[in-house]
Amino acid sequence: MSNKNYTWDLEDILKGKSLDQLFNEWIKIEEEIVQQFPNFYKSLNNFKKWIKTNEKSEIISNRLSNYISNNYQEDLSNPKWISYIQKLQVKANEYSVKLSGYDNVVLKNEKLIRSYLTDKSLKEYQRAFDLIFKTKKHLLSDVEEKLLSKVSITNGGVDSAFSTLTDNDIKFKDAVNSNGKNVPIKTVADVSKLLKSNDRSLRKSTWINFNSAYHQFESTLTQTLYYNYLTLNTYAKLRKYKDYIDAAADADEVKEDLILHIYKMVETFKPSEDKYAKKVKALLKKQLGLNKLEPWDKTVDLSKKQVKVSIEQTKKMVLESLSPLGDEYVSNVKKAFDERWISWLPKPGKQTGAYSIGGTKGLDKYYISMNFDGTLRSVGTIAHELGHSMHSLYFNKKQKVYADCAIFYAEIASIVNETLLSLYLVDKYENNKVMQRMILDELIHNFFATTTRQIIFSNFEYVANQYVNESKPFTKESLRDLYIQMIKKYEGLTKQSEKKLRSVIPYTYSLSTIFRISHFYVGNFYVYKYAIGQIVAIYVASRIYAKDKTMLKKYFEFLSSGCSKSPLETIKILGVDLYSDKPYIESKKFIDKMINKFSKL
């Protein structure tokens, strides 16, 4: 099979048009919206026409932005796509300024608009307008809103600068193997691969060169993060929120106390992670013949056998593992493979990591980008991203108005897929202890990576924002110290390990991790939602795997609901209350069971 089949078919977005034709089509519809704006609320017919035009705009905008953005992610330094992104941002900001008083107009005419929404053809738009009505106390005057719209063009600058620095400008020194031969490190995918090598010298060199590359930019990243948080908090306070986190929580229709409850419950996972970590440490020492493990030894697979899978083998494993979700779901996943929704392979300049696109209304393919490296982890990655894409597929089928997914619960569908894959593989290799151990290790590792690890990052971000708001020192030293505090709180840290982290090179380099969390630079207070995804997904997937038909029915109702309900109500479709201790306790029981099984192997 040619490499073409491992690239995505982005041309499908254009539907036979050129990019410039699509861009001009978007300009035309935006001009129509601007023309309709002054009178959109003055009659029922005007209001219906306004809604119809905006829906058409959303579809064209999604096609345009996804085509440009996905091409850009393939080559972050390509001037063509950089130019198109800038061109799109400038025009989008221009229209945003012209429409900046929209929410104020809606609020001033709330009674009239509520009367329109009683029309049978408009009833399903009620929630969309209720979300505007509830923002009344956070809206500013027309003049102030217009001013904020004008300066909003700069809002994505920090994220873009961070992405360019970390994905394109930061270069890694070649690693050196035990024979003194240089081994190039071109991408983060190369780092993951080399850290699993049997050559300890190569692992050490890779670990040091990777972490030191970020370490040398800690001061720059600290300043970038500070001004990002300062900007986010300033905007939030202008809108009468307590701070950026209060504003982010309100956008998710939750309260800050829920975030703190999640922190508290995930802290109870500490004994389980400690038990797992000690077992892994003992196994790696024995396997590697070492008396002492170093950071560069800790990501070696728990087997001397290097498991490698091809893309075609990966597809087969994923399709089989998702069979508990039913024939229709599996058929849709196969469609994603056959119709080239996926950019599989890494290359220089490509966005690191993986993602499934957002803004999918109006698209026929729900694209995925990843950096496949042939490991079981890559199999998990594609299963994960397919969960997102299938979520998009199901809510686009069902929802006319609410064909979107709130980031608050976005990770549930993806981690359900990952969990089903892990449970499938554990059963598939029940007579192969080596494979079972590797699969369970991956499952358990991923659990703590998306709960404990992400809560370390989230709690760090929570406190770092307090530093900004309380004018406390915001330096690379204070942030390193805060990161160490969070590690101690959620994972535990011996005095000797803490001393190394604080003052001994190269161990201090690992603290650069906290400066390269991309979500910190976006502005949506995101990473604690990974823990929500993991905890709820375990609750759901374990029941689906046990052939619980009631849960399977609830799950498809959840996938199809889009954002037609509040995030907490959407999760309650699955029978989960995040304010209750129950889902956290159940997920801990599940992972304890997996750890016990792992230990016996």
Side-chain angles (χ1 to χ4, degrees), residues 266-278 280 440-457 490-491 530-531 534-535 538 587-595 598:
V266 170
E267 196 176 350
T268 67
F269 297 172
K270 188 175 177 180
S272 300
E273 184 177 22
D274 186 54
K275 180 180 178 181
Y276 164 66
K278 285 178 178 176
V280 170
L440 284 167
D441 179 47
E442 187 76 9
L443 169 62
I444 299 163
H445 170 85
N446 285 346
F447 177 85
F448 291 117
T450 48
T451 56
T452 301
R453 197 72 180 140
Q454 296 303 328
I455 292 304
I456 286 174
F457 296 152
Y490 291 99
E491 293 181 329
Y530 283 112
Q534 180 72 69
I535 289 157
I538 289 290
S587 67
K588 184 178 181 298
K589 282 181 181 176
F590 173 86
I591 210 64
D592 283 342
K593 182 180 176 182
M594 295 298 112
I595 291 170
F598 174 75

Side-chain angles (χ1 to χ4, degrees), residues 278-290:
K278 285 178 178 176
K279 186 64 181 176
V280 170
K281 187 176 180 181
L283 286 167
L284 282 174
K285 278 184 177 179
K286 184 178 179 182
Q287 178 180 311
L288 298 172
L290 299 172

Side-chain angles (χ1 to χ4, degrees), residues 397-503:
K397 276 186 179 181
K398 178 78 174 180
Q399 301 295 331
K400 175 189 172 186
V401 179
Y402 305 105
D404 203 351
C405 172
I407 61 173
F408 188 83
Y409 52 80
E411 295 303 319
I412 294 172
S414 54
I415 300 175
V416 162
N417 277 16
E418 275 192 90
T419 306
L420 289 174
L421 173 67
S422 297
L423 293 173
Y424 157 81
L425 290 173
V426 167
D427 284 349
K428 179 181 174 70
Y429 293 104
E430 63 179 335
N431 297 320
N432 185 331
K433 289 187 177 182
V434 173
M435 284 297 292
Q436 266 214 335
R437 190 172 68 182
M438 289 178 64
I439 294 155
L440 284 167
D441 179 47
E442 187 76 9
L443 169 62
I444 299 163
H445 170 85
N446 285 346
F447 177 85
F448 291 117
T450 48
T451 56
T452 301
R453 197 72 180 140
Q454 296 303 328
I455 292 304
I456 286 174
F457 296 152
S458 181
N459 204 167
F460 168 92
E461 186 174 20
Y462 184 92
V463 178
N465 269 276
Q466 291 177 338
Y467 285 4
V468 173
N469 290 318
E470 296 168 10
S471 298
K472 290 183 177 179
F474 197 98
T475 63
K476 66 180 181 182
E477 291 79 13
S478 67
L479 296 186
R480 283 178 172 189
D481 183 67
L482 176 57
Y483 182 33
I484 290 170
Q485 289 177 42
M486 293 302 155
I487 294 171
K488 288 168 74 174
K489 178 179 179 180
Y490 291 99
E491 293 181 329
L493 196 61
T494 65
K495 288 183 179 180
Q496 184 181 12
S497 295
E498 182 177 349
K499 183 179 178 181
K500 282 184 177 181
L501 278 176
R502 289 187 182 279
S503 58

Side-chain angles (χ1 to χ4, degrees), residues 170-174 185 191 204-218 221 480 505-513 516:
I170 289 181
K171 305 297 182 186
F172 308 115
K173 293 179 182 177
D174 288 353
I185 305 175
V191 175
K204 180 178 181 180
S205 179
T206 300
W207 188 92
I208 291 173
N209 290 353
F210 173 68
N211 284 290
S212 63
Y214 291 95
H215 173 77
Q216 66 180 320
F217 286 98
E218 282 183 5
L221 291 170
R480 283 178 172 189
I505 294 174
Y507 304 100
T508 55
Y509 293 162
S510 68
L511 294 177
S512 66
T513 298
R516 62 173 189 263

Side-chain angles (χ1 to χ4, degrees), residues 244-304:
Y244 149 56
I245 291 169
D246 181 37
D250 187 61
D252 287 322
E253 299 178 76
V254 299
K255 301 295 182 185
E256 199 172 313
D257 63 344
L258 177 66
I259 298 168
L260 298 176
H261 179 66
I262 293 168
Y263 291 171
K264 176 186 170 185
M265 294 309 299
V266 170
E267 196 176 350
T268 67
F269 297 172
K270 188 175 177 180
S272 300
E273 184 177 22
D274 186 54
K275 180 180 178 181
Y276 164 66
K278 285 178 178 176
K279 186 64 181 176
V280 170
K281 187 176 180 181
L283 286 167
L284 282 174
K285 278 184 177 179
K286 184 178 179 182
Q287 178 180 311
L288 298 172
L290 299 172
N291 293 322
K292 179 184 175 186
L293 285 184
E294 297 289 0
W296 42 88
D297 300 318
K298 293 180 179 179
T299 54
V300 175
D301 288 328
L302 288 177
S303 170
K304 291 183 179 179

Side-chain angles (χ1 to χ4, degrees), residues 116-139:
Y116 295 158
L117 293 171
T118 61
D119 185 283
K120 189 177 178 181
S121 67
L122 295 174
K123 278 198 170 187
E124 62 184 319
Y125 295 91
Q126 183 71 53
R127 170 168 161 75
F129 282 92
D130 282 344
L131 289 173
I132 297 175
F133 297 149
K134 85 179 186 71
T135 66
K136 185 176 288 188
K137 66 179 180 180
H138 299 294
L139 274 175

Side-chain angles (χ1 to χ4, degrees), residues 63-265:
R63 289 172 59 202
L64 181 64
S65 60
N66 267 300
Y67 185 80
I68 294 171
S69 174
N70 291 324
N71 273 294
Y72 169 66
Q73 302 297 348
E74 285 285 292
D75 186 359
L76 295 168
S77 61
N78 189 312
K80 173 184 175 180
W81 301 115
I82 293 171
S83 175
Y84 265 111
I85 283 175
Q86 292 170 348
K87 180 180 175 183
L88 182 62
Q89 285 175 336
V90 168
K91 292 303 291 184
N93 184 68
E94 179 185 316
Y95 293 124
S96 176
V97 170
K98 290 178 180 179
L99 302 170
S100 60
Y102 173 68
D103 284 2
N104 274 349
V105 173
V106 169
L107 290 171
K108 286 175 183 176
N109 296 277
E110 181 177 347
K111 186 176 180 180
L112 181 61
I113 288 172
R114 283 190 183 278
S115 72
Y116 295 158
L117 293 171
T118 61
D119 185 283
K120 189 177 178 181
S121 67
L122 295 174
K123 278 198 170 187
E124 62 184 319
Y125 295 91
Q126 183 71 53
R127 170 168 161 75
F129 282 92
D130 282 344
L131 289 173
I132 297 175
F133 297 149
K134 85 179 186 71
T135 66
K136 185 176 288 188
K137 66 179 180 180
H138 299 294
L139 274 175
L140 307 177
S141 69
D142 289 347
V143 173
E144 290 167 323
E145 287 291 341
K146 184 159 285 192
L147 181 61
L148 285 182
S149 290
K150 284 182 177 179
V151 299
S152 69
I153 194 171
T154 63
N155 287 354
V158 170
D159 180 36
S160 179
F162 172 82
S163 179
T164 301
L165 175 67
T166 56
D167 292 326
N168 193 64
D169 292 347
I170 289 181
K171 305 297 182 186
F172 308 115
K173 293 179 182 177
D174 288 353
V176 180
N177 66 20
S178 55
N179 295 321
K181 183 180 177 182
N182 285 9
V183 179
I185 305 175
K186 294 181 180 178
T187 67
V188 174
D190 291 335
V191 175
S192 300
K193 180 180 176 181
L194 295 175
L195 285 175
K196 292 183 181 297
S197 169
N198 289 324
D199 186 332
R200 196 181 194 202
S201 296
L202 180 59
R203 292 199 306 271
K204 180 178 181 180
S205 179
T206 300
W207 188 92
I208 291 173
N209 290 353
F210 173 68
N211 284 290
S212 63
Y214 291 95
H215 173 77
Q216 66 180 320
F217 286 98
E218 282 183 5
S219 295
T220 299
L221 291 170
T222 297
Q223 288 298 302
T224 304
L225 195 57
Y226 172 77
Y227 283 105
N228 187 45
Y229 288 159
L230 184 64
T231 301
L232 290 167
N233 281 288
T234 300
Y235 272 81
K237 289 171 184 176
L238 281 172
R239 293 198 175 279
K240 306 179 185 71
Y241 288 101
K242 184 183 77 174
D243 57 20
Y244 149 56
I245 291 169
D246 181 37
D250 187 61
D252 287 322
E253 299 178 76
V254 299
K255 301 295 182 185
E256 199 172 313
D257 63 344
L258 177 66
I259 298 168
L260 298 176
H261 179 66
I262 293 168
Y263 291 171
K264 176 186 170 185
M265 294 309 299

